[in-house]
Amino acid sequence: MNEHWNAARHVLVLPDRDAAEEVAEELSDRFGIDEEPHIRDALAGEDDAEDAQWLVVVADPAGDLDPAALDGLAAEYEGWREEP
């Protein structure tokens, strides 16, 4: 993965689908994100996906989003932001 792609996105890891969907909604409300974040199962295709973590991938090509604020949002839902 190239460095430019890492700088252009944030990955939030959440404990379940409901938390991921709520965080995706909050991103729009709190940060004014126009582009809808991508939500996906971290273990897509696994049989035990019920217990899998969920990812919210947020595009940030201009680097405008504050990583600390994203950390805080994810933590509110018992998740975290992955470091690139």
Side-chain angles (χ1 to χ4, degrees):
M1 191 174 306
N2 74 38
E3 191 173 315
H4 174 71
W5 173 246
N6 284 337
R9 70 183 177 114
H10 299 276
V11 177
L12 306 179
V13 182
L14 288 305
D16 57 48
R17 183 182 188 137
D18 289 341
E21 290 174 350
E22 288 178 34
V23 165
E25 288 179 27
E26 283 291 318
L27 285 165
S28 177
D29 294 344
R30 290 189 195 186
F31 301 100
I33 295 173
D34 294 330
E35 184 177 332
E36 187 171 326
H38 298 283
I39 301 173
R40 71 178 192 86
D41 185 340
L43 299 174
E46 294 288 325
D47 291 338
D48 59 349
E50 187 76 24
D51 296 329
Q53 296 166 327
W54 284 75
L55 306 178
V56 177
V57 181
V58 184
D60 185 18
D64 293 334
L65 296 174
D66 177 12
L70 293 172
D71 286 338
L73 174 60
E76 289 176 30
Y77 291 88
E78 299 180 15
W80 66 90
R81 183 182 58 87
E82 282 290 308
E83 291 291 333

